[in-house]
Amino acid sequence: MTETSRELVTRGKIDVEGRLVDASNVTLFCTIELDGVTGNVVYKPVSGERPLWDFPDGTLAGREVATAMVADASGLGAIPPTVLRDGPFGPGMVQLWIETTEEELVDVRPPEGLPDDWRVVLHAHDRDGEPAVLAHADRQGMRELALLDIVVNNTDRKGGHVLAGADGRIYGVDHGICLHTDPKLRTVLWGWIGERLTEAEVGKLRGLREQLDGELGDALGEHLTGFEIRALAERTELLLAAGVFPEPGDDWRAIPWPLF
């Protein structure tokens, strides 16, 4: 997060332009302005969060911010500048709007139409009974988002939550149902199962684990319980000990639905 972006999303004046109707919770598209600098943000007020049976009420905005803090501290994956602040409808998550390209990074396609550099996640059939695969591009930015999903226990990494930024980076968004203490990983990014972590990836995970015992752990305490922070540390330790991308568990559905 650049200082300019941080200041803009933290202190800028927010004006609501409209609502993103496909979102489960109230998600507002807004303009933002600070000292002549303008942009767009997504604003998710806590008051608009839909209650969930397995996550405490009123915590989803904080979980989005906590996940962004983990990504920023570790260098695992890119998340747009994200803060918790007051807005037109009360406290909520405010995240910089990212301009994207039309490039598809996750898709359901016929097997014969799959690019050589894509990873297959699931074999299935389409509505006409023809073979189809759920697959995603093989990019380092996506690989690191997959690692982030593992350590933050992302319960809802849909294909539409992976964005090809116009700046060439790959961004992850929508992290409101992350960081639960119970295993709940559901993601479309399963293309690297069993592959060894690179030296750089191991270094980022080790750095994250160290920071959780220091300032990062303290800062996360504003948004998470002590048990949730401890579970984050334990998931990081388990991933480092295994040294490979894990397989899905058998105790829960490992791919979100809908897929996008």
Side-chain angles (χ1 to χ4, degrees):
M1 182 187 301
T2 67
E3 285 304 313
T4 300
S5 298
R6 181 188 297 276
E7 286 294 301
L8 182 63
V9 298
T10 302
R11 300 198 297 110
K13 180 180 181 296
I14 296 172
D15 289 309
V16 176
E17 295 288 318
R19 179 174 178 178
L20 304 180
V21 296
D22 291 338
S24 300
N25 300 293
V26 174
T27 302
L28 304 172
F29 178 76
C30 309
T31 58
I32 193 167
E33 187 274 335
L34 178 67
D35 298 333
V37 178
T38 62
N40 296 111
V41 294
V42 173
Y43 165 47
K44 299 181 183 180
V46 173
S47 60
E49 293 181 4
R50 177 172 55 89
L52 300 172
W53 69 269
D54 53 347
F55 283 82
D57 293 351
T59 67
L60 305 191
R63 293 174 191 278
E64 291 230 40
V65 175
T67 300
M69 292 167 64
V70 171
D72 288 344
S74 65
L76 288 173
I79 295 178
T82 307
V83 299
L84 186 67
R85 55 163 289 185
D86 200 24
F89 298 102
M93 188 280 301
V94 177
Q95 184 175 81
L96 190 68
W97 178 268
I98 296 298
E99 296 299 328
T100 62
T101 70
E102 296 182 358
E103 181 183 11
E104 295 289 347
L105 297 172
V106 182
D107 205 357
V108 176
R109 301 184 181 185
E112 64 273 12
L114 201 66
D116 292 338
D117 61 346
W118 276 46
R119 300 291 186 112
V120 174
V121 174
L122 180 70
H123 291 268
H125 292 85
D126 64 19
R127 66 185 61 187
D128 298 320
E130 296 297 322
V133 293
L134 169 65
H136 59 71
D138 186 0
R139 306 283 182 81
Q140 183 60 33
M142 296 176 68
R143 183 177 164 113
E144 292 189 355
L145 278 179
L147 291 174
L148 179 69
D149 285 348
I150 294 166
V151 295
V152 302
N153 198 18
N154 192 347
T155 310
D156 194 36
R157 174 68 76 197
K158 292 182 171 68
H161 300 170
V162 182
L163 308 179
D167 59 1
R169 303 184 74 189
I170 295 172
Y171 291 91
V173 296
D174 285 330
H175 300 104
I177 47 177
C178 292
L179 295 157
H180 201 285
T181 55
D182 298 336
K184 291 178 175 289
L185 179 60
R186 282 195 290 266
T187 176
V188 295
L189 301 179
W190 285 111
W192 298 279
I193 290 174
E195 290 196 9
R196 295 207 63 81
L197 305 180
T198 66
E199 184 176 337
E201 291 162 351
V202 168
K204 291 180 178 183
L205 289 165
R206 285 177 176 161
L208 170 61
R209 180 61 191 88
E210 292 172 2
Q211 292 179 78
L212 288 173
D213 288 334
E215 292 184 2
L216 176 61
D218 293 339
L220 288 172
E222 181 180 348
H223 308 293
L224 304 173
T225 67
F227 290 112
E228 289 167 339
I229 296 170
R230 181 63 235 172
L232 167 61
E234 289 174 351
R235 288 189 297 268
T236 305
E237 291 168 359
L238 286 172
L239 183 54
L240 280 167
V244 299
F245 281 81
E247 296 182 10
D250 296 327
D251 299 332
W252 66 92
R253 178 167 46 87
I255 296 176
W257 187 262
L259 298 172
F260 297 93

